[in-house]
Amino acid sequence: MSPLPALVSVDWLIRHQGDPDVRILDATFYLPNLNRDAHAEYLERHLPGAVFFDVEVIADHSSGLPHMLPSPEQFGRQVGELGIDNADRVVVYDSNRFLAAARAWWMFRTMGHQDVMVLDGGLAAWQAAGQKLESGEVRPPARRFVAHFRPALVLDLDGVRTALDEGSSQVVDVRSPGRFRGTDPEPRAGLRSGHMPGAVNLPYGELIDTDGRLLPNDRLQMALDGAGIDLRLPVAASCGSGVSAAVLALAAYQLGKEDLAVYDGSWTEWGGRQDTPVVRE
C-alpha cells in the first residue's frame, strides 16, 4: 500500500489539529451552475485555524481554461502565503463530497509535497462529531514553500490524444452517465456533449459512501473492477474541468496506485474545441 495515508479521520485531526506542523485548508469549490460562493461560506464557518485554499485563485490565469494548474513558482508563492512550508503536514477538507479537497491534494502531490491528506467526510463529518467551527478569515504569517513539479501526475491535451490513439493509458471519465453519454447538458456553456472515443465512465460519486466518506478499499476495488479499470496499467482521469477527476486519483492512491494522472483541461478543453473527436450515445 501507499507509504503515506491519503485520508485522515476526524478523530485523527482532533488529536493533531494543535500540532505545530499541521496546516488545515478549506478547499471548498462549487460548479458555476450551483450559484454558491465557496469563500463566503468559508467565512461563515470553517474548521478552527483553517485557511481558504481557492482553486480558482491558485491557478494559471493565462490559459483561458478554468482553474488550470499553475506554474511551480506561482504555486510555491501562493501556498507560502497561506502559511505553509515544505515541512508541514497539510490536511485538506471541503463541504462538497471531496470535489476540491481531492483536487488540492492532487495539486500538492503534483508540486512535490507528499505529506498531504484529505479529511475523510469533510466538513460534514467534523460537524457530525460535534466539533466546533469558527468564522472569519484566517491569515497566518507567510512562509517559504518550494514546489518540485512531478509531470507524470498531469496530462495535457497532446498526452490524452496519445493515450487514446495508442491505447497507452486507460482514460476514465468521472462525469455523470448523462454527461458522458451526451444526453445531459454540460454546466459550462459552449461545450459539446459526449465523451472521448475510447474513454470509460466511472462517475466519481460512485466512489463516495452515503455518509460522505470515501468507500472502503474493498468497495473501491469493486467499483473500479465494474468499470473495467486495471490499476496495474497506466490510468488517466478526466472530468468536467480537472477537479472531480482527482477523486479517482485519491481512490487509486488508497488502493496503492500513486501515479494516476489527471487530464487538467478535461472536458472543458476537449469538448470546447472543434478538432477533437466526440462520441455521443
Side-chain angles (χ1 to χ4, degrees):
M1 300 303 292
S2 303
L4 288 173
L7 294 176
V8 295
S9 67
V10 167
D11 288 343
W12 184 95
L13 189 54
I14 291 170
R15 295 194 306 271
H16 293 281
Q17 61 181 319
D19 292 359
D21 62 342
V22 168
R23 301 286 179 264
I24 303 173
L25 299 179
D26 182 326
T28 300
F29 161 84
Y30 298 108
L31 290 171
N33 61 316
L34 295 178
N35 295 315
R36 292 179 64 173
D37 187 331
H39 186 249
E41 292 183 18
Y42 159 83
L43 292 175
E44 291 175 4
R45 73 211 192 303
H46 56 76
L47 269 63
V51 180
F52 190 65
F53 183 98
D54 193 335
V55 299
E56 302 280 21
V57 171
I58 304 177
D60 177 5
H61 301 288
S62 68
S63 74
L65 295 169
H67 42 253
M68 291 287 283
L69 196 69
S71 68
E73 293 76 20
Q74 179 186 341
F75 184 87
R77 181 180 70 255
Q78 290 182 298
V79 165
E81 290 170 353
L82 299 182
I84 297 169
D85 68 26
N86 294 86
D88 285 331
R89 291 184 290 173
V90 178
V91 178
V92 190
Y93 74 91
D94 64 31
S95 60
N96 197 15
R97 295 173 64 82
F98 290 97
L99 187 62
R103 168 76 183 191
W105 170 85
W106 170 79
M107 290 173 71
F108 271 95
R109 293 192 65 243
T110 301
M111 294 299 174
H113 193 75
Q114 281 288 103
D115 209 347
V116 55
M117 300 161 286
V118 175
L119 178 63
D120 201 11
L123 180 68
W126 185 262
Q127 290 181 288
Q131 296 302 302
K132 68 175 184 178
L133 297 173
E134 294 180 347
S135 61
E137 196 85 58
V138 176
R139 298 185 184 278
R143 306 176 78 183
R144 184 170 183 267
F145 185 97
V146 179
H148 302 281
F149 184 54
R150 300 176 63 195
L153 297 184
V154 58
L155 280 184
D156 59 11
L157 179 68
D158 289 339
V160 175
R161 286 186 193 271
T162 299
L164 293 168
D165 292 345
E166 299 179 358
S168 56
S169 182
Q170 304 163 92
V171 178
V172 183
D173 189 325
V174 306
R175 292 176 301 153
S176 67
R179 291 172 66 190
F180 181 81
R181 292 193 298 265
T183 56
D184 292 345
E186 287 295 309
R188 288 184 170 83
L191 302 183
R192 293 174 293 164
S193 296
H195 62 267
M196 303 171 227
V200 299
N201 187 214
L202 176 56
Y204 81 91
E206 295 184 9
L207 305 173
I208 302 169
D209 215 337
T210 54
D211 63 0
R213 292 174 172 82
L214 202 68
L215 292 176
N217 285 3
D218 58 341
R219 293 173 60 195
L220 285 176
Q221 189 64 60
M222 288 176 60
L224 270 63
D225 290 344
I229 301 165
D230 187 349
L231 293 183
R232 295 171 298 181
L233 303 174
V235 181
S238 180
C239 58
S241 61
V243 176
S244 59
V247 178
L248 180 60
L250 181 70
Y253 187 97
Q254 283 293 96
L255 295 172
K257 186 174 184 62
E258 301 179 47
D259 60 352
L260 188 146
V262 168
Y263 172 25
D264 200 19
S266 282
W267 195 253
T268 302
E269 180 173 42
W270 190 279
R273 298 173 64 101
Q274 298 302 315
D275 62 345
T276 47
V278 171
V279 176
R280 298 187 67 173
E281 299 176 10

